Each structure stands twice: as structure tokens, then as C-alpha cells.
Amino acid sequence: MALRLVQVNFKARDDSALGRFWAEALGWGTDSEAPGVTNLEPAGFDWPDPTAVCVDLVTVPDPESVKDRVHLDLATASAAHQAELVARLKDLGATPADVGQGDVPWTVLADPEGNVFCVLEPREVYRDTGPIAAVVVDCADPRAMARFWGEAMDWTLHELTDDRAVMRAPEGVGPYLEFLRTPAERTWWNRVHLDLLPYVVSDKEAEVDRLRGLGATDLDVGQGDVPWTCLADPEGNEFCVLGRSTDEASA
């Protein structure tokens, strides 16, 4: 049994407007499976595919205005590309953000709804990831998170220290999933979460039971009767296990 990371889900005040921003940021196309849902993926993409982790934006009544523990790092190919991308994103409505990063070679921005993300300086490790270099999760214990997520998914562990755990799809394509040690205690729901899909969709309930055995807990975020299951990892980060093999918006 196995799961794969297929998309990052943003809670939004306006999925269409925020979707337009991120579509321009990533150079991806937009679609909508239902009112209040915007789906982003590369042109010609056949979901799901490990070459990209897609983005879903879902309108909710009052998405919290808090620091999220999940954010995107965007890749660049050169210093000129980084400068051009930052300038273009600001023109699209991004604003500089100070999260205590100090003097660093990457640029921290917030999208039009306040979700923080980073535009990285060129790094060789991200040369083939596509526009999203990494999905980054702040955590208290990267080693513990690597144990849970390493069992939850079939992704390969590339790096493990007390401060950082790095995983990538076993095919060696697409973005990385990174867990970074941070001192802050989590006391809120995330506006951004991960969506996982079983390789065999009919195995969803068995996969959910397996995740509970690994330390995941059930969540009620008002999702109602839906084909996906909302869970939290051992540090309380929400994620969803999808229940069908086409894009679906999770709560």
C-alpha cells in the first residue's frame, strides 16, 4: 500500500482571484471543477503525475489570517531570473514579507491573501523541479516527521538532520517536500495543506487506517459528507487523503 503527494490546497477568500495570481506565478493553466474551486496545473498535464505537485484553491468563509506552517519555495535559474520573477510577482500583487529571515539570498513575499512564500536564489539541486522547488513544512522535530511521512508515502528520503528532512518522489522528478525545524509552537489551523492520493483509489479506507496506526488523527473541519478524509499528522498539520482519481477539492 502507498500514497503519493498530488497537490497543495490553499484555503482562500476568493479562489478565482488567488488562482489567477498563482497561475501567473507558476506559468500554469487554470480550471475549475466546481464553484468556489480553482485548480492549477502545467499545460498538457495528465493528473496525477510525479513531475508536478498541483495547486488547488478553495473558497472558505473566513480563512484565518495567521502564520502558516506550510509554504511554497519557487525555483529560479539565475540571479536575473530571480530578480525578474520577484518584480513580476510584485506587479501581480505580491508584497514583501518579514518572517525574521534576516539577510538571506532568497526573497520572502506574501501573495494577495497574505500567504507567505519564497523566491529562491538559483540552486543546482532545484534545477529540474519545475517552478515549485519545494513544499516546505515547519515542524518541531524533522526526524519524527520524516518517520511518519516516510511511512505514509512512497517518497524517497534525501536528507535527514536534526534541523531538516528532505523527500522527493521516487521517480526523482518534481518538487521536494521539506520539513524544517522551527521554534514556534503550532496553535492554529493551516490555510495551506497537503493532499495525498492512493495509487489504488479503492484502497483509500485501508490507507487511512494505516495512517492512523502510524499516528495520524481524525479531523473535523466542517467538511461534511465528502469522498476524502481529513487527518492530522503527529504534529497536528492537516492533510487529506483523496477518494477518487480525479481532482477533488478538500476542505
Side-chain angles (χ1 to χ4, degrees), residues 67-149:
K67 178 184 181 296
D68 281 306
R69 298 186 84 197
V70 183
H71 74 266
L72 301 183
D73 282 351
L74 304 188
T76 62
S78 66
H81 180 206
Q82 182 187 18
E84 180 276 329
L85 181 57
V86 168
R88 184 164 61 85
L89 292 170
K90 288 179 179 177
D91 287 343
L92 293 170
T95 53
D98 186 349
V99 294
Q101 68 268 23
D103 184 16
V104 293
W106 59 89
T107 301
V108 184
L109 299 173
D111 72 18
E113 291 201 5
N115 301 296
V116 171
F117 64 98
C118 298
V119 180
L120 301 180
E121 77 284 4
R123 302 184 192 181
E124 180 65 17
V125 67
Y126 300 134
R127 71 189 184 282
D128 61 351
T129 60
I132 300 176
V135 180
V136 182
V137 182
D138 294 346
C139 67
D141 187 344
R143 292 185 181 275
M145 292 291 273
R147 285 194 295 273
F148 173 82
W149 284 96

Side-chain angles (χ1 to χ4, degrees), residues 13 46 54 59 99 154:
R13 297 184 186 90
D46 187 13
C54 296
T59 292
V99 294
D154 67 342

Side-chain angles (χ1 to χ4, degrees), residues 149-225:
W149 284 96
E151 291 286 342
M153 302 194 304
D154 67 342
W155 281 31
T156 301
L157 184 65
H158 285 258
E159 179 182 341
L160 181 61
T161 69
D162 288 343
D163 295 318
R164 171 180 161 105
V166 178
M167 307 173 73
R168 198 182 193 192
E171 296 85 353
V173 295
Y176 289 83
L177 177 63
E178 302 181 0
F179 298 96
L180 301 184
R181 180 185 293 276
T182 56
E185 181 181 357
R186 181 190 185 283
T187 58
W188 54 80
W189 297 124
N190 290 334
R191 291 186 66 192
V192 182
H193 69 259
L194 308 180
D195 284 344
L196 309 182
L197 181 71
Y199 279 90
V200 179
V201 178
S202 60
D203 288 345
K204 189 198 102 170
E205 293 306 322
E207 287 290 345
V208 169
D209 285 341
R210 185 175 67 86
L211 293 168
R212 292 179 183 127
L214 295 173
T217 52
D218 290 281
L219 281 182
D220 184 350
V221 294
Q223 67 268 24
D225 183 16

